Amino acid sequence: MDLEHSIAHPAQRRYARPLLLIHGAWHGAWCWEVAQPDLAARGFEVHAISLRGHGNSPSPANFRRSTVVQYASDVRAAIQAVGARPIVVAHSLGGLLVQLLITGVLGPVPDIAGAIMLCTSPVSLRDYFTPRQSEEPISLSEMLRFEPKAMRATLFRRDISEADLLRHVARLVPEPPMMTMSSMFLRPRPARCRTPMLVIGAEKDAVYGLPTQRSTAAAYRCGLVVVPESAHNVMLDPAWPVAAEAIERFAASL
């Protein structure tokens, strides 16, 4: 499948390994519109894709029956397309897809230099049901309808401008029911992981809060960086530079 694939080249390359950015549920490559050029300015070659049915990627005829297996195959194909053993930076559901790949749940482990989990979906199913940190009560129906009030409370800082909020919400897409179900029951196996890894969490994440991110880092026995005051969509948050600096440090350590 010919997925949307954007590349940002640095004016002066400082890091040998390219970065591959993988978005989470509802989003697309557009969600890296701040992070991708910033990482390129820091000296990385930066790739971002949209999974099938997201962003400007096509929706196959059977998209409504897509599962995490098909989504993970998109990630595997993107890794192969980038080559050069990239460092994969994966947000939210994208983090689960990468975990399934690097722990061998979905076949051979892809050849990547490292993986950075950004506000990632959890390892354990029980962490899906931990209390959310949202400061404003919202209903599931409001979330599934992508109502701006619900998206502000779930994904963004409370002080995001109305214009930016509406611009982002307009680009969200619903997930196929089978994808949601399969993401709940197909779980990674951290004990099998041999890929260098870093977890980055957001202090004010209303989706997968800090207890979840600590559990993930503990499961993989890797480092955890917390971005102060950031909401779930840390790549669009004013505190993004803290995450970018952590990505730089991790890349330099490989």
Side-chain angles (χ1 to χ4, degrees):
M1 181 175 295
D2 190 15
L3 300 175
E4 178 183 13
H5 185 158
S6 67
I7 308 173
H9 295 281
Q12 181 176 0
R13 190 157 183 171
R14 297 181 56 221
Y15 299 96
R17 300 297 179 194
L19 299 180
L20 173 59
L21 310 180
I22 307 297
H23 65 82
W26 307 343
H27 292 65
W30 59 263
C31 74
W32 305 102
E33 64 186 18
V34 173
Q36 187 175 15
D38 175 66
L39 291 167
R42 294 170 185 267
F44 292 99
E45 178 184 292
V46 191
H47 299 251
I49 66 160
S50 290
L51 300 171
R52 61 185 65 198
H54 297 73
N56 291 319
S57 288
S59 295
N62 61 350
F63 177 64
R64 292 286 296 170
R65 297 194 295 274
S66 296
T67 69
V68 292
V69 176
Q70 282 76 50
Y71 281 20
S73 72
D74 291 345
V75 176
R76 186 185 294 276
I79 291 170
Q80 292 171 346
V82 172
R85 302 189 68 234
I87 300 168
V88 179
V89 181
H91 180 251
S92 198
L93 172 67
L96 174 62
L97 303 178
V98 174
Q99 289 178 61
L100 292 172
L101 289 172
I102 66 177
T103 61
V105 174
L106 299 176
V109 175
D111 188 18
I112 62 175
I116 299 172
M117 304 291 101
L118 194 62
C119 299
T120 184
S121 297
V123 172
S124 172
L125 190 60
R126 68 174 179 270
D127 286 329
Y128 274 97
F129 304 103
T130 55
R132 301 301 188 232
Q133 298 183 28
S134 175
E135 299 175 7
E136 185 175 0
I138 55 174
S139 68
L140 179 60
S141 63
E142 287 175 316
M143 287 184 59
L144 295 180
R145 291 195 303 268
F146 296 151
E147 292 190 5
K149 170 187 172 183
M151 295 299 96
R152 184 194 301 271
T154 306
L155 302 176
F156 302 101
R157 290 200 190 203
R158 293 173 62 88
D159 61 356
I160 186 174
S161 73
E162 191 72 10
D164 282 343
L165 176 65
L166 295 178
R167 182 167 60 89
H168 298 324
V169 169
R171 295 181 286 185
L172 300 176
V173 296
E175 298 295 343
M178 288 300 296
M179 196 291 303
T180 303
M181 292 178 62
S182 61
S183 71
M184 299 289 283
F185 297 107
L186 193 58
R187 310 311 308 159
R189 301 170 184 173
R192 297 185 177 185
C193 183
R194 300 295 181 268
T195 302
M197 187 166 160
L198 174 69
V199 174
I200 300 178
E203 183 183 16
K204 299 297 179 66
D205 192 340
V207 182
Y208 302 123
L210 290 184
T212 294
Q213 303 308 313
R214 292 189 185 104
S215 294
T216 300
Y220 287 98
R221 300 182 179 181
C222 70
L224 169 65
V225 173
V226 177
V227 181
E229 299 298 321
S230 177
H232 181 69
N233 274 4
V234 63
M235 62 283 191
L236 291 166
D237 195 276
W240 161 253
V242 177
E245 289 163 8
I247 291 169
E248 276 200 90
R249 290 194 299 271
F250 180 78
S253 72
L254 297 179

